[in-house]
Amino acid sequence: MSTTSSEAFTDRPIGLATPIGLTEPSGIDRAAHHRLDEAWLAAAWSHPTTRVFVVSGGQVLIDEPADGADGRTELVMTPAFEAPVTETHRYFLGTDEDGVSYFALQKDALPGRMDQSARPAGLREAGLLLSPRDASLMTHAVALENWQRLHRFCSRCGERTVIAAAGHIRRCPVCGAEHYPRTDPAVIMLVTDDQDRALLGRQVHWPEGRFSTLAGFVEPGESIEQSVRREVFEEAGVTVGPVEYVASQPWPFPSSLMLGFMAKAISSEINVDGEEIHEARWFSREDLAAAFESGEVLPPYGISIAARLIELWYGKPLPKPSH
């Protein structure tokens, strides 16, 4: 299905201070109808305007403007005829409004650059620096790479599968099963109480002072609203009533789709599970501002939808994380 016509608007809830990372209109049409058309793909690959980049271990090469120079950080892309050789792990990502086709190549290592102007970067860093187009292309490529690396064998018969549909299907040559990239739905929610305080928690493995929204995976046979209520109660012991959807964010670490919500608590006593959440607290806006100022609380990373949900309640951008 074409995506360009649906991207004439921005996926931003009314009142949101900053766009949700990785969901701004990208200008890329994924053109899924071309994925099985080998003749079209071959012609697109050989076209002089086609652009290609390498993904390896969740990283790509990015080019940053020199200190003091104007411009924006960009993906390092080359014409197809300059790209590293690979026939198998070549993924078609889509076309833009000018008809330019984009491919990603999965390699064991990123290529070197003669001019030394580029450097490797992962999505958590690069997603904040790249344009919506480049961030979307990188997200798509990283998600495919993660899936390809982790799902090489047929879950039905155990045979090694082969890549098809320009990287979007793996087929079993023995039993004929087709396997598709998985996306795991996860809910992430900012919970507020009757005093309009926000519930923030700290996971066990996070650094001291790092607080964020609660989150968790949707279980089989469960609605997303039920998942919000279950996760909040399991992690913090707080009962949730009304739940309102806000926005979503692809999160290929390795294969999640974060579904963002605002939720209203109907109880306030906190009882953390101690396994996922080490500490949880209610914060007023004044409490949170003072904690940011003193360094007692570190904000979530800016690329995450968690930061945008907190900003929706907080009313202004959060401080940038120091580490």
Side-chain angles (χ1 to χ4, degrees):
M1 178 182 293
S2 174
T3 59
T4 50
S5 61
S6 66
E7 291 187 340
F9 58 90
T10 181
D11 298 322
R12 188 185 309 178
I14 295 174
L16 197 59
T18 308
I20 297 291
L22 305 182
T23 64
E24 285 291 275
S26 67
I28 296 295
D29 181 348
R30 293 197 172 196
H33 57 290
H34 289 313
R35 292 173 186 167
L36 294 171
D37 188 340
E38 294 298 334
W40 187 94
L41 290 169
W45 177 258
S46 61
H47 198 279
T49 64
T50 292
R51 291 296 176 265
V52 182
F53 64 95
V54 174
V55 58
S56 180
Q59 291 193 317
V60 299
L61 289 178
I62 61 172
D63 236 334
E64 295 177 300
D67 291 343
D70 293 331
R72 184 164 194 164
T73 301
E74 296 180 336
L75 279 177
V76 173
M77 291 191 270
T78 67
F81 65 84
E82 294 181 3
V85 177
T86 179
E87 289 294 333
T88 305
H89 296 280
R90 187 168 76 190
Y91 311 142
F92 172 61
L93 304 179
T95 61
D96 65 19
E97 58 188 10
D98 296 321
V100 175
S101 297
Y102 296 90
F103 288 81
L105 303 181
Q106 178 180 323
K107 302 290 286 184
D108 292 333
L110 294 173
R113 288 275 292 210
M114 295 297 292
D115 57 13
Q116 300 298 312
S117 66
R119 65 177 180 87
L123 187 56
R124 283 187 173 89
E125 176 189 8
L128 286 171
L129 305 173
L130 297 172
S131 68
R133 184 202 68 179
D134 284 6
S136 175
L137 290 170
M138 182 179 178
T139 303
H140 192 175
V142 168
L144 285 178
E145 185 207 20
N146 282 330
W147 173 65
Q148 294 283 358
R149 289 187 185 278
L150 297 175
H151 295 82
R152 294 176 294 170
F153 297 91
C154 179
S155 59
R156 181 183 294 175
C157 72
E159 187 68 25
R160 182 180 287 272
T161 54
V162 295
I163 296 173
H168 294 77
I169 294 176
R170 292 193 72 101
R171 288 199 179 108
C172 179
V174 175
C175 71
E178 290 189 345
H179 305 278
Y180 296 84
R182 62 178 292 172
T183 296
D184 301 319
V187 292
I188 183 166
M189 44 277 173
L190 182 72
V191 180
T192 57
D193 66 1
D194 56 4
Q195 300 178 51
D196 201 23
R197 297 179 300 174
L199 178 64
L200 301 179
R202 185 168 71 82
Q203 290 190 17
V204 173
H205 63 275
W206 285 356
E208 189 71 29
R210 177 80 68 207
F211 280 80
S212 188
T213 54
L214 304 183
F217 287 103
V218 180
E219 293 189 346
E222 183 178 53
S223 73
I224 52 179
E225 293 84 2
Q226 290 170 335
S227 182
V228 169
R229 297 185 180 101
R230 175 185 54 77
E231 284 288 347
V232 174
F233 186 77
E234 287 180 356
E235 293 185 349
V238 172
T239 303
V240 165
V243 173
E244 181 182 0
Y245 172 75
V246 176
S248 65
Q249 179 184 41
W251 198 247
F253 302 109
S255 57
S256 299
L257 176 65
M258 306 302 295
L259 306 168
F261 294 86
M262 304 295 285
K264 284 291 186 181
I266 55 178
S267 71
S268 59
E269 183 177 351
I270 294 174
N271 183 22
V272 297
D273 62 7
E275 296 182 5
E276 292 186 60
I277 301 299
H278 177 72
E279 180 183 4
R281 294 164 52 185
W282 291 105
F283 291 90
S284 69
R285 292 173 182 81
E286 294 75 18
D287 292 338
L288 192 57
F292 285 150
E293 180 69 24
S294 67
E296 177 189 0
V297 169
L298 306 174
Y301 293 102
I303 194 176
S304 170
I305 191 174
R308 305 290 84 80
L309 292 172
I310 297 171
E311 286 177 347
L312 182 58
W313 162 81
Y314 193 54
K316 58 183 179 180
L318 303 182
K320 292 183 179 180
S322 57
H323 62 279

